[in-house]
Amino acid sequence: MMKKRNTTYRLNIVDYLIFIFCSLAAAAALFLFYRDLNSYTIKQAEEPVAKIYFKKNTAQRKFVDNDIWEVLTNSSDIYDGDRIRTSKDSEAYTEFNDSGIQIQLREKSMVQIFKSKKERSVDFIGGEIFVANNSPEEKVVVRSGKKEIAVSQASEVKLALPEVSEAAAAGAEEAVESPVIIEVLSGQVEVIEQAAETKGKKEKLETLPLVLSAGETVTLVPQNEVLPAIGAGQEANLSLEEKKKEIEESVKEAFEETVEKKSELVKAKEEVTPEPAASVPVLVQTYEPPKPIEAGVEKTKNMNDVPMFVNYWGDRAKKEYNYAANLRLADVTEANKTIPAGSILEVTLSGRPSKDIPKFTIQISTGDVEWEQAHHFKNYIPDNGLGFLKDTPFTFTTQILLDKDIINTNDSNIGINYGADILDEMSVIYNFVVAVKVISVEKGAVITKVSDGYTKTLEYENLTFPVNQWGSKSDEYEFRFDVDAADIFGDHKSISKGSKIKITLSGSCDRDLYGMRPELEDTSKESWIQILMNDADRDYEAAKINGNLLTAKNKEFNLSKEYDVYTDLPDTTFSIFHLQVDHGNNKKNPTFANLKISFEVE
């Protein structure tokens, strides 16, 4: 009988070690491959000229002396000559260091970044980009084929080109010059031709720059650079100087021929009816002055997705800058119109922000040579003080009373902005729509008095008071919640001196409270003015609801107090209501549940 063979194989310790070593080596190789695939290079011996930030997915960078595209991380450095590209469903923007010049790249777009002592410039290779120049002192040049597009200060422009080919992206072939679409969103740009080549030499083109202003869109088609041949045995092309001379002579001959024919016609006419000799007609360009706008004008403009670019107006170290999105007033009213001081414009904004925007300002300029705001400055606090919330659709309407004339709607801008102290980041407003209606063109026609017996209650299910730092010392702060007075009493209402306002607070708080102080502030004046005072004592501190323990932690409270209006409030649109809580050495922000704030005018 044959003995059964044992086929069972047992691993010894050496086999186990070999298996573990090979597995670790494979894992290490995969890790190094992944890291190399997603790494990017930092040039130690070269200063970066810009940084790149992502709005959606990622972008790639290629050095001017390298053929490898690297995947970048957010806030990566960009060096002189770097090419940047975005793939499908990706968006990014790059900002030149210390300049306020930003370039936003939509999907499948490519640019090349340059910085020299003379200028900051961008080669636009393909796709769609937005260029915003918020530099206080320099312009940025965008090159596309043989065109140079100089974007002036305080200007924004949108540029579009066909998608760049893979071969051109890799540098294997020159990108074909294509029509470029230029849409000026704000400010002004100049378009000029680069030097043309004639017989291997560059000569300046005898053309004036094309100047485009806000609201204008143009498509630039590539032009043939080579002038036609003039005959066998002669130079293949005329020089520009010769061509200019030839054109001047032909124009002169045509003009003399026209004058001669005109003289013959005049002479023939004189033989029939003697009249004084007519002069040669001169073409005069007429100027059409702006006309007054009429009440009832209403217009809406869809801005699509708008990035709020940084706008430097002072010392960057002191955060003297804001983030803004602008358009021409003529785009949402009528072109070439004047609007007198005292007019009321109703402005409606809608969209969806990519970040929380607690407060913002609407600014309308007069359209004069020197920038000047046509109305009082005011921070708007939408949604009864809650602000615009991230990824939440909003619609906001307010009425703006002009205290200065708008000289020409063509030269006036309307925009929204927020300060760096409110949000020191760029927000994008998706599907941003701006609408303006001219309510009145008569001085002060809509301000009316708040009627006696008027009541209004604001309700908040869960509300945390933010910090308000009113001094430079560490303990000079309070917790304060702000609401537009117009959201309480209505737009363009007045409250007379001697009126009484009863304020009632109810709800609960997650900490002990030792007093809450209501304030009604007139923001139309240069200095802070408190409108409310306690009836028994005119002292500022007497405005507190209670100076002792107001309520214990998480306990329900219901408090009421009556205040004198001791000075006129001329317009609620330029007034803010504050509800303040002293910190009491408690660093925690107070959070209120089921808070109700009721107002009654007596």
Side-chain angles (χ1 to χ4, degrees), residues 184-187 213-216 287-295 297-299 301 326-341 343 345 363-369 371-372 374 402 404-415 436-438 441:
V184 184
L185 304 178
S186 64
S213 298
E216 294 183 305
Y287 164 73
E288 184 179 349
K291 298 178 181 178
I293 204 165
E294 295 181 358
V297 169
E298 188 172 7
K299 196 172 179 182
K301 183 174 178 63
N326 299 303
L327 71 154
R328 255 192 347 164
L329 185 59
D331 293 336
V332 282
T333 53
E334 289 181 331
N336 202 35
K337 296 290 184 180
T338 62
I339 307 179
S343 299
L345 303 184
Q363 293 185 337
I364 303 175
S365 63
T366 60
D368 207 346
V369 177
W371 189 93
E372 190 175 13
L402 303 181
K404 293 183 177 66
D405 293 335
I406 291 177
I407 299 170
N408 194 331
T409 54
N410 289 354
D411 302 319
S412 172
N413 285 338
I414 177 172
V436 174
K437 182 178 181 180
V438 181
V441 292

Short mmCIF file of all heavy atoms in Angstrom, two decimals, residues 184-187 213-216 287-295 297-299 301 326-341 343 345 363-369 371-372 374 402 404-415 436-438 441:
data_model
loop_
_atom_site.label_atom_id
_atom_site.label_comp_id
_atom_site.label_asym_id
_atom_site.label_seq_id
_atom_site.Cartn_x
_atom_site.Cartn_y
_atom_site.Cartn_z
N VAL A 184 -15.32 94.83 -19.71
CA VAL A 184 -14.87 95.70 -18.62
C VAL A 184 -15.99 95.79 -17.59
O VAL A 184 -17.07 96.30 -17.88
CB VAL A 184 -14.49 97.10 -19.14
CG1 VAL A 184 -13.94 97.94 -17.99
CG2 VAL A 184 -13.45 96.99 -20.25
N LEU A 185 -15.73 95.29 -16.39
CA LEU A 185 -16.73 95.29 -15.33
C LEU A 185 -16.74 96.60 -14.56
O LEU A 185 -17.78 97.08 -14.12
CB LEU A 185 -16.48 94.12 -14.37
CG LEU A 185 -16.43 92.74 -15.02
CD1 LEU A 185 -16.13 91.67 -13.99
CD2 LEU A 185 -17.75 92.43 -15.72
N SER A 186 -15.55 97.19 -14.37
CA SER A 186 -15.46 98.49 -13.71
C SER A 186 -14.13 99.12 -14.10
O SER A 186 -13.18 98.45 -14.50
CB SER A 186 -15.54 98.35 -12.18
OG SER A 186 -14.44 97.62 -11.68
N GLY A 187 -14.08 100.46 -14.02
CA GLY A 187 -12.84 101.17 -14.33
C GLY A 187 -12.61 101.30 -15.82
O GLY A 187 -13.54 101.49 -16.60
N SER A 213 -14.28 101.42 -21.36
CA SER A 213 -14.75 101.79 -20.03
C SER A 213 -15.72 100.76 -19.50
O SER A 213 -16.14 99.85 -20.22
CB SER A 213 -15.40 103.18 -20.06
OG SER A 213 -14.47 104.16 -20.48
N ALA A 214 -16.10 100.91 -18.22
CA ALA A 214 -17.00 99.96 -17.56
C ALA A 214 -18.28 99.78 -18.35
O ALA A 214 -18.87 100.74 -18.85
CB ALA A 214 -17.32 100.45 -16.15
N GLY A 215 -18.70 98.51 -18.50
CA GLY A 215 -19.92 98.20 -19.22
C GLY A 215 -19.71 97.89 -20.68
O GLY A 215 -20.63 97.42 -21.36
N GLU A 216 -18.50 98.13 -21.21
CA GLU A 216 -18.23 97.89 -22.62
C GLU A 216 -17.63 96.49 -22.82
O GLU A 216 -16.82 96.02 -22.03
CB GLU A 216 -17.28 98.94 -23.19
CG GLU A 216 -17.89 100.33 -23.22
CD GLU A 216 -16.97 101.37 -23.86
OE1 GLU A 216 -15.81 101.49 -23.40
OE2 GLU A 216 -17.40 102.03 -24.81
N TYR A 287 -21.08 116.77 -28.29
CA TYR A 287 -21.15 116.20 -26.95
C TYR A 287 -22.58 116.32 -26.46
O TYR A 287 -23.18 117.39 -26.50
CB TYR A 287 -20.21 116.95 -26.00
CG TYR A 287 -20.49 116.68 -24.55
CD1 TYR A 287 -20.16 115.45 -23.98
CD2 TYR A 287 -21.09 117.65 -23.74
CE1 TYR A 287 -20.43 115.20 -22.64
CE2 TYR A 287 -21.36 117.40 -22.40
CZ TYR A 287 -21.02 116.18 -21.86
OH TYR A 287 -21.28 115.92 -20.53
N GLU A 288 -23.14 115.20 -26.06
CA GLU A 288 -24.51 115.19 -25.55
C GLU A 288 -24.48 115.22 -24.03
O GLU A 288 -24.06 114.25 -23.39
CB GLU A 288 -25.25 113.95 -26.03
CG GLU A 288 -26.72 113.93 -25.61
CD GLU A 288 -27.45 112.70 -26.11
OE1 GLU A 288 -26.88 111.98 -26.94
OE2 GLU A 288 -28.59 112.47 -25.64
N PRO A 289 -24.89 116.32 -23.41
CA PRO A 289 -24.83 116.42 -21.94
C PRO A 289 -25.82 115.44 -21.30
O PRO A 289 -26.85 115.11 -21.90
CB PRO A 289 -25.23 117.87 -21.66
CG PRO A 289 -26.04 118.27 -22.84
CD PRO A 289 -25.47 117.53 -24.03
N PRO A 290 -25.52 114.98 -20.09
CA PRO A 290 -26.44 114.05 -19.41
C PRO A 290 -27.76 114.72 -19.09
O PRO A 290 -27.81 115.91 -18.80
CB PRO A 290 -25.68 113.66 -18.14
CG PRO A 290 -24.68 114.74 -17.93
CD PRO A 290 -24.31 115.25 -19.28
N LYS A 291 -28.83 113.95 -19.16
CA LYS A 291 -30.17 114.47 -18.88
C LYS A 291 -30.64 114.01 -17.51
O LYS A 291 -30.21 112.97 -17.02
CB LYS A 291 -31.14 114.00 -19.97
CG LYS A 291 -30.79 114.50 -21.36
CD LYS A 291 -31.77 113.94 -22.39
CE LYS A 291 -31.41 114.43 -23.79
NZ LYS A 291 -32.32 113.86 -24.81
N PRO A 292 -31.55 114.76 -16.87
CA PRO A 292 -32.07 114.35 -15.56
C PRO A 292 -32.82 113.03 -15.65
O PRO A 292 -33.55 112.78 -16.60
CB PRO A 292 -33.01 115.49 -15.16
CG PRO A 292 -32.58 116.65 -16.01
CD PRO A 292 -32.08 116.07 -17.29
N ILE A 293 -32.65 112.19 -14.64
CA ILE A 293 -33.36 110.92 -14.59
C ILE A 293 -34.75 111.16 -14.04
O ILE A 293 -35.00 112.15 -13.35
CB ILE A 293 -32.59 109.89 -13.72
CG1 ILE A 293 -32.96 108.47 -14.11
CG2 ILE A 293 -32.84 110.13 -12.23
CD1 ILE A 293 -32.02 107.42 -13.58
N GLU A 294 -35.67 110.27 -14.35
CA GLU A 294 -37.05 110.41 -13.88
C GLU A 294 -37.35 109.35 -12.83
O GLU A 294 -36.78 108.26 -12.84
CB GLU A 294 -38.03 110.26 -15.05
CG GLU A 294 -37.91 111.38 -16.08
CD GLU A 294 -38.91 111.21 -17.21
OE1 GLU A 294 -39.66 110.21 -17.19
OE2 GLU A 294 -38.95 112.08 -18.10
N ALA A 295 -38.24 109.66 -11.91
CA ALA A 295 -38.67 108.70 -10.90
C ALA A 295 -39.36 107.53 -11.58
O ALA A 295 -40.03 107.69 -12.60
CB ALA A 295 -39.59 109.37 -9.89
N VAL A 297 -37.72 104.78 -12.75
CA VAL A 297 -36.76 103.98 -13.50
C VAL A 297 -36.36 102.77 -12.66
O VAL A 297 -36.05 102.89 -11.47
CB VAL A 297 -35.51 104.81 -13.87
CG1 VAL A 297 -34.41 103.90 -14.43
CG2 VAL A 297 -35.89 105.88 -14.89
N GLU A 298 -36.38 101.59 -13.25
CA GLU A 298 -36.08 100.36 -12.53
C GLU A 298 -35.34 99.40 -13.47
O GLU A 298 -35.76 99.19 -14.61
CB GLU A 298 -37.36 99.71 -12.02
CG GLU A 298 -37.14 98.53 -11.10
CD GLU A 298 -38.43 98.04 -10.47
OE1 GLU A 298 -39.50 98.56 -10.87
OE2 GLU A 298 -38.37 97.16 -9.61
N LYS A 299 -34.24 98.84 -12.99
CA LYS A 299 -33.43 97.96 -13.84
C LYS A 299 -32.71 96.94 -12.98
O LYS A 299 -32.32 97.21 -11.85
CB LYS A 299 -32.42 98.79 -14.65
CG LYS A 299 -31.81 98.07 -15.83
CD LYS A 299 -30.99 99.04 -16.66
CE LYS A 299 -30.32 98.35 -17.84
NZ LYS A 299 -29.48 99.29 -18.61
N LYS A 301 -29.58 93.77 -12.98
CA LYS A 301 -28.43 93.17 -13.67
C LYS A 301 -27.98 91.94 -12.91
O LYS A 301 -27.72 92.00 -11.70
CB LYS A 301 -27.27 94.16 -13.79
CG LYS A 301 -26.08 93.58 -14.58
CD LYS A 301 -25.01 94.62 -14.80
CE LYS A 301 -23.80 94.05 -15.55
NZ LYS A 301 -24.15 93.58 -16.90
N ASN A 326 -18.06 95.82 -7.62
CA ASN A 326 -18.62 97.06 -8.17
C ASN A 326 -19.16 96.85 -9.58
O ASN A 326 -18.77 95.92 -10.29
CB ASN A 326 -17.54 98.16 -8.24
CG ASN A 326 -16.98 98.49 -6.88
OD1 ASN A 326 -17.70 98.86 -5.97
ND2 ASN A 326 -15.67 98.35 -6.72
N LEU A 327 -20.06 97.75 -9.98
CA LEU A 327 -20.50 97.86 -11.37
C LEU A 327 -20.91 99.30 -11.64
O LEU A 327 -21.02 100.10 -10.71
CB LEU A 327 -21.66 96.91 -11.66
CG LEU A 327 -23.04 97.23 -11.06
CD1 LEU A 327 -24.12 96.61 -11.94
CD2 LEU A 327 -23.17 96.67 -9.67
N ARG A 328 -21.12 99.61 -12.92
CA ARG A 328 -21.53 100.97 -13.29
C ARG A 328 -22.97 101.23 -12.87
O ARG A 328 -23.84 100.38 -13.03
CB ARG A 328 -21.43 101.14 -14.80
CG ARG A 328 -20.27 101.94 -15.28
CD ARG A 328 -20.37 102.33 -16.73
NE ARG A 328 -21.37 101.67 -17.52
CZ ARG A 328 -21.79 102.11 -18.70
NH1 ARG A 328 -21.31 103.22 -19.18
NH2 ARG A 328 -22.69 101.45 -19.40
N LEU A 329 -23.24 102.43 -12.32
CA LEU A 329 -24.61 102.77 -11.95
C LEU A 329 -25.51 102.79 -13.19
O LEU A 329 -26.69 102.44 -13.11
CB LEU A 329 -24.64 104.13 -11.25
CG LEU A 329 -26.00 104.57 -10.69
CD1 LEU A 329 -26.54 103.56 -9.69
CD2 LEU A 329 -25.91 105.95 -10.07
N ALA A 330 -24.95 103.16 -14.36
CA ALA A 330 -25.73 103.19 -15.60
C ALA A 330 -26.27 101.81 -15.96
O ALA A 330 -27.29 101.69 -16.65
CB ALA A 330 -24.88 103.73 -16.75
N ASP A 331 -25.60 100.74 -15.49
CA ASP A 331 -26.05 99.38 -15.80
C ASP A 331 -27.33 99.00 -15.06
O ASP A 331 -28.02 98.05 -15.44
CB ASP A 331 -24.95 98.37 -15.47
CG ASP A 331 -23.74 98.51 -16.37
OD1 ASP A 331 -23.91 99.04 -17.49
OD2 ASP A 331 -22.64 98.11 -15.97
N VAL A 332 -27.63 99.72 -13.97
CA VAL A 332 -28.83 99.40 -13.19
C VAL A 332 -29.77 100.59 -13.08
O VAL A 332 -30.71 100.58 -12.28
CB VAL A 332 -28.46 98.87 -11.78
CG1 VAL A 332 -28.02 97.43 -11.84
CG2 VAL A 332 -27.39 99.72 -11.13
N THR A 333 -29.52 101.65 -13.85
CA THR A 333 -30.47 102.78 -13.96
C THR A 333 -30.63 103.09 -15.45
O THR A 333 -31.24 102.31 -16.17
CB THR A 333 -29.97 104.02 -13.18
OG1 THR A 333 -28.64 104.36 -13.59
CG2 THR A 333 -29.98 103.74 -11.68
N GLU A 334 -30.07 104.19 -15.89
CA GLU A 334 -30.06 104.56 -17.31
C GLU A 334 -28.72 105.22 -17.62
O GLU A 334 -28.09 105.80 -16.73
CB GLU A 334 -31.20 105.52 -17.65
CG GLU A 334 -32.57 104.90 -17.63
CD GLU A 334 -33.68 105.88 -17.98
OE1 GLU A 334 -33.51 107.09 -17.72
OE2 GLU A 334 -34.69 105.45 -18.52
N ALA A 335 -28.31 105.14 -18.89
CA ALA A 335 -27.03 105.72 -19.30
C ALA A 335 -27.14 107.24 -19.45
O ALA A 335 -28.20 107.77 -19.77
CB ALA A 335 -26.57 105.09 -20.61
N ASN A 336 -26.02 107.93 -19.15
CA ASN A 336 -25.89 109.36 -19.37
C ASN A 336 -27.01 110.17 -18.71
O ASN A 336 -27.66 111.00 -19.33
CB ASN A 336 -25.86 109.66 -20.88
CG ASN A 336 -25.20 111.00 -21.18
OD1 ASN A 336 -24.27 111.42 -20.50
ND2 ASN A 336 -25.69 111.68 -22.20
N LYS A 337 -27.19 109.92 -17.38
CA LYS A 337 -28.22 110.62 -16.63
C LYS A 337 -27.62 111.28 -15.40
O LYS A 337 -26.61 110.83 -14.85
CB LYS A 337 -29.31 109.65 -16.18
CG LYS A 337 -30.09 109.00 -17.30
CD LYS A 337 -30.99 109.98 -18.03
CE LYS A 337 -31.83 109.27 -19.07
NZ LYS A 337 -32.72 110.21 -19.80
N THR A 338 -28.26 112.37 -14.96
CA THR A 338 -27.92 112.99 -13.68
C THR A 338 -29.00 112.61 -12.66
O THR A 338 -30.16 112.41 -13.03
CB THR A 338 -27.85 114.52 -13.79
OG1 THR A 338 -29.14 115.02 -14.17
CG2 THR A 338 -26.81 114.95 -14.80
N ILE A 339 -28.59 112.51 -11.39
CA ILE A 339 -29.55 112.24 -10.31
C ILE A 339 -29.28 113.26 -9.21
O ILE A 339 -28.18 113.31 -8.66
CB ILE A 339 -29.39 110.81 -9.76
CG1 ILE A 339 -29.46 109.78 -10.90
CG2 ILE A 339 -30.48 110.52 -8.73
CD1 ILE A 339 -29.29 108.35 -10.45
N PRO A 340 -30.25 114.11 -8.87
CA PRO A 340 -29.98 115.20 -7.91
C PRO A 340 -29.91 114.73 -6.46
O PRO A 340 -30.50 113.71 -6.10
CB PRO A 340 -31.17 116.14 -8.13
CG PRO A 340 -32.27 115.24 -8.58
CD PRO A 340 -31.62 114.16 -9.40
N ALA A 341 -29.21 115.49 -5.64
CA ALA A 341 -29.20 115.26 -4.20
C ALA A 341 -30.63 115.33 -3.67
O ALA A 341 -31.44 116.13 -4.14
CB ALA A 341 -28.32 116.28 -3.51
N SER A 343 -32.61 112.69 -3.85
CA SER A 343 -33.32 111.57 -4.48
C SER A 343 -33.22 110.32 -3.60
O SER A 343 -32.30 110.16 -2.81
CB SER A 343 -32.73 111.28 -5.86
OG SER A 343 -32.85 112.40 -6.72
N LEU A 345 -32.99 106.19 -3.88
CA LEU A 345 -32.77 105.01 -4.71
C LEU A 345 -33.03 103.77 -3.86
O LEU A 345 -32.47 103.62 -2.77
CB LEU A 345 -31.33 104.96 -5.24
CG LEU A 345 -30.84 106.16 -6.06
CD1 LEU A 345 -29.44 105.90 -6.58
CD2 LEU A 345 -31.78 106.45 -7.22
N GLN A 363 -21.97 101.51 -1.48
CA GLN A 363 -21.37 102.79 -1.84
C GLN A 363 -21.74 103.16 -3.27
O GLN A 363 -21.57 102.35 -4.19
CB GLN A 363 -19.85 102.75 -1.69
CG GLN A 363 -19.40 102.62 -0.24
CD GLN A 363 -17.90 102.69 -0.08
OE1 GLN A 363 -17.15 102.44 -1.03
NE2 GLN A 363 -17.43 103.04 1.10
N ILE A 364 -22.24 104.38 -3.43
CA ILE A 364 -22.55 104.93 -4.76
C ILE A 364 -21.74 106.20 -4.91
O ILE A 364 -21.85 107.11 -4.08
CB ILE A 364 -24.05 105.23 -4.93
CG1 ILE A 364 -24.89 103.96 -4.68
CG2 ILE A 364 -24.34 105.78 -6.32
CD1 ILE A 364 -26.38 104.19 -4.69
N SER A 365 -20.93 106.28 -5.96
CA SER A 365 -20.07 107.46 -6.16
C SER A 365 -20.79 108.52 -6.98
O SER A 365 -21.75 108.24 -7.70
CB SER A 365 -18.76 107.06 -6.83
OG SER A 365 -19.00 106.56 -8.13
N THR A 366 -20.29 109.75 -6.89
CA THR A 366 -20.93 110.88 -7.58
C THR A 366 -20.65 110.90 -9.08
O THR A 366 -21.36 111.56 -9.82
CB THR A 366 -20.45 112.21 -6.98
OG1 THR A 366 -19.03 112.31 -7.15
CG2 THR A 366 -20.80 112.30 -5.51
N GLY A 367 -19.59 110.18 -9.50
CA GLY A 367 -19.21 110.21 -10.91
C GLY A 367 -18.29 111.35 -11.24
O GLY A 367 -17.98 111.61 -12.42
N ASP A 368 -17.80 112.07 -10.22
CA ASP A 368 -16.85 113.15 -10.43
C ASP A 368 -15.45 112.57 -10.68
O ASP A 368 -15.22 111.37 -10.48
CB ASP A 368 -16.82 114.07 -9.22
CG ASP A 368 -16.41 115.49 -9.58
OD1 ASP A 368 -15.89 115.68 -10.69
OD2 ASP A 368 -16.61 116.39 -8.75
N VAL A 369 -14.51 113.42 -11.10
CA VAL A 369 -13.15 112.97 -11.39
C VAL A 369 -12.52 112.40 -10.12
O VAL A 369 -11.92 111.32 -10.13
CB VAL A 369 -12.30 114.14 -11.94
CG1 VAL A 369 -10.86 113.68 -12.15
CG2 VAL A 369 -12.89 114.64 -13.25
N TRP A 371 -12.94 110.57 -6.61
CA TRP A 371 -13.97 109.69 -6.06
C TRP A 371 -14.60 110.31 -4.82
O TRP A 371 -13.91 110.79 -3.93
CB TRP A 371 -13.36 108.34 -5.68
CG TRP A 371 -14.40 107.33 -5.30
CD1 TRP A 371 -15.00 106.43 -6.13
CD2 TRP A 371 -15.00 107.13 -4.02
NE1 TRP A 371 -15.92 105.68 -5.45
CE2 TRP A 371 -15.95 106.09 -4.13
CE3 TRP A 371 -14.83 107.74 -2.77
CZ2 TRP A 371 -16.71 105.63 -3.07
CZ3 TRP A 371 -15.61 107.29 -1.70
CH2 TRP A 371 -16.52 106.24 -1.85
N GLU A 372 -15.92 110.33 -4.79
CA GLU A 372 -16.65 110.88 -3.65
C GLU A 372 -17.96 110.12 -3.51
O GLU A 372 -18.65 109.85 -4.51
CB GLU A 372 -16.92 112.37 -3.85
CG GLU A 372 -17.46 113.06 -2.62
CD GLU A 372 -17.61 114.56 -2.84
OE1 GLU A 372 -17.54 115.01 -4.00
OE2 GLU A 372 -17.82 115.28 -1.84
N ALA A 374 -21.82 109.53 -2.68
CA ALA A 374 -22.97 110.41 -2.89
C ALA A 374 -23.98 110.37 -1.74
O ALA A 374 -25.04 110.98 -1.83
CB ALA A 374 -23.68 110.04 -4.20
N LEU A 402 -29.69 110.27 -1.33
CA LEU A 402 -28.49 110.93 -1.83
C LEU A 402 -28.36 112.31 -1.19
O LEU A 402 -29.32 113.07 -1.17
CB LEU A 402 -28.54 111.07 -3.35
CG LEU A 402 -28.70 109.79 -4.17
CD1 LEU A 402 -28.72 110.12 -5.66
CD2 LEU A 402 -27.60 108.79 -3.85
N LYS A 404 -25.58 114.14 -2.23
CA LYS A 404 -24.77 114.82 -3.26
C LYS A 404 -25.31 114.44 -4.63
O LYS A 404 -25.88 113.36 -4.81
CB LYS A 404 -23.29 114.42 -3.15
CG LYS A 404 -22.59 114.91 -1.89
CD LYS A 404 -21.12 114.52 -1.91
CE LYS A 404 -20.40 115.06 -0.68
NZ LYS A 404 -20.88 114.42 0.55
N ASP A 405 -25.14 115.35 -5.60
CA ASP A 405 -25.58 115.09 -6.96
C ASP A 405 -24.74 113.98 -7.60
O ASP A 405 -23.52 113.92 -7.40
CB ASP A 405 -25.45 116.34 -7.84
CG ASP A 405 -26.39 117.45 -7.42
OD1 ASP A 405 -27.43 117.13 -6.81
OD2 ASP A 405 -26.09 118.63 -7.70
N ILE A 406 -25.39 113.10 -8.36
CA ILE A 406 -24.67 112.19 -9.25
C ILE A 406 -24.56 112.87 -10.60
O ILE A 406 -25.57 113.15 -11.26
CB ILE A 406 -25.39 110.83 -9.34
CG1 ILE A 406 -25.27 110.11 -7.99
CG2 ILE A 406 -24.80 109.98 -10.46
CD1 ILE A 406 -25.99 108.79 -7.92
N ILE A 407 -23.33 113.17 -11.00
CA ILE A 407 -23.10 114.00 -12.18
C ILE A 407 -23.44 113.26 -13.46
O ILE A 407 -24.04 113.82 -14.38
CB ILE A 407 -21.63 114.47 -12.20
CG1 ILE A 407 -21.35 115.32 -10.94
CG2 ILE A 407 -21.31 115.27 -13.46
CD1 ILE A 407 -19.90 115.63 -10.74
N ASN A 408 -23.04 111.98 -13.54
CA ASN A 408 -23.32 111.18 -14.73
C ASN A 408 -23.31 109.72 -14.33
O ASN A 408 -22.33 109.23 -13.78
CB ASN A 408 -22.29 111.44 -15.83
CG ASN A 408 -22.73 110.88 -17.18
OD1 ASN A 408 -23.46 109.91 -17.26
ND2 ASN A 408 -22.27 111.52 -18.25
N THR A 409 -24.41 109.01 -14.60
CA THR A 409 -24.49 107.59 -14.23
C THR A 409 -23.44 106.76 -14.97
O THR A 409 -23.07 105.68 -14.51
CB THR A 409 -25.89 107.04 -14.53
OG1 THR A 409 -26.21 107.31 -15.91
CG2 THR A 409 -26.93 107.66 -13.63
N ASN A 410 -22.97 107.25 -16.14
CA ASN A 410 -21.92 106.52 -16.87
C ASN A 410 -20.63 106.44 -16.08
O ASN A 410 -19.87 105.48 -16.20
CB ASN A 410 -21.64 107.19 -18.22
CG ASN A 410 -22.76 107.02 -19.20
OD1 ASN A 410 -23.72 106.30 -18.94
ND2 ASN A 410 -22.67 107.68 -20.33
N ASP A 411 -20.34 107.48 -15.28
CA ASP A 411 -19.08 107.56 -14.56
C ASP A 411 -19.23 107.20 -13.08
O ASP A 411 -18.25 107.23 -12.34
CB ASP A 411 -18.50 108.98 -14.68
CG ASP A 411 -18.30 109.39 -16.13
OD1 ASP A 411 -17.85 108.54 -16.91
OD2 ASP A 411 -18.61 110.54 -16.47
N SER A 412 -20.44 106.90 -12.66
CA SER A 412 -20.69 106.57 -11.25
C SER A 412 -20.68 105.05 -11.07
O SER A 412 -21.15 104.31 -11.93
CB SER A 412 -22.06 107.13 -10.82
OG SER A 412 -22.42 106.67 -9.54
N ASN A 413 -20.14 104.61 -9.94
CA ASN A 413 -20.13 103.19 -9.60
C ASN A 413 -21.04 102.91 -8.42
O ASN A 413 -21.20 103.75 -7.53
CB ASN A 413 -18.71 102.72 -9.25
CG ASN A 413 -17.84 102.57 -10.49
OD1 ASN A 413 -18.34 102.42 -11.59
ND2 ASN A 413 -16.54 102.62 -10.30
N ILE A 414 -21.63 101.72 -8.40
CA ILE A 414 -22.36 101.23 -7.24
C ILE A 414 -21.74 99.89 -6.86
O ILE A 414 -21.44 99.07 -7.72
CB ILE A 414 -23.87 101.09 -7.52
CG1 ILE A 414 -24.59 100.52 -6.29
CG2 ILE A 414 -24.16 100.26 -8.76
CD1 ILE A 414 -26.10 100.51 -6.40
N GLY A 415 -21.51 99.70 -5.57
CA GLY A 415 -20.88 98.45 -5.15
C GLY A 415 -21.15 98.16 -3.69
O GLY A 415 -21.63 99.01 -2.95
N VAL A 436 -31.88 98.31 -8.99
CA VAL A 436 -32.03 99.68 -8.49
C VAL A 436 -33.32 100.28 -9.04
O VAL A 436 -33.61 100.14 -10.23
CB VAL A 436 -30.82 100.56 -8.87
CG1 VAL A 436 -31.07 102.00 -8.48
CG2 VAL A 436 -29.54 100.04 -8.23
N LYS A 437 -34.08 100.92 -8.17
CA LYS A 437 -35.28 101.63 -8.57
C LYS A 437 -35.21 103.05 -8.07
O LYS A 437 -34.87 103.29 -6.91
CB LYS A 437 -36.52 100.94 -8.01
CG LYS A 437 -37.84 101.60 -8.43
CD LYS A 437 -39.04 100.84 -7.88
CE LYS A 437 -40.34 101.50 -8.33
NZ LYS A 437 -41.52 100.76 -7.80
N VAL A 438 -35.50 104.02 -8.94
CA VAL A 438 -35.51 105.44 -8.56
C VAL A 438 -36.88 105.73 -7.95
O VAL A 438 -37.88 105.85 -8.66
CB VAL A 438 -35.23 106.35 -9.77
CG1 VAL A 438 -35.21 107.81 -9.34
CG2 VAL A 438 -33.91 105.98 -10.44
N VAL A 441 -37.13 111.80 -6.95
CA VAL A 441 -36.06 112.75 -7.31
C VAL A 441 -36.32 114.11 -6.66
O VAL A 441 -35.82 115.13 -7.11
CB VAL A 441 -35.92 112.89 -8.84
CG1 VAL A 441 -35.39 111.62 -9.46
CG2 VAL A 441 -37.26 113.29 -9.49
#
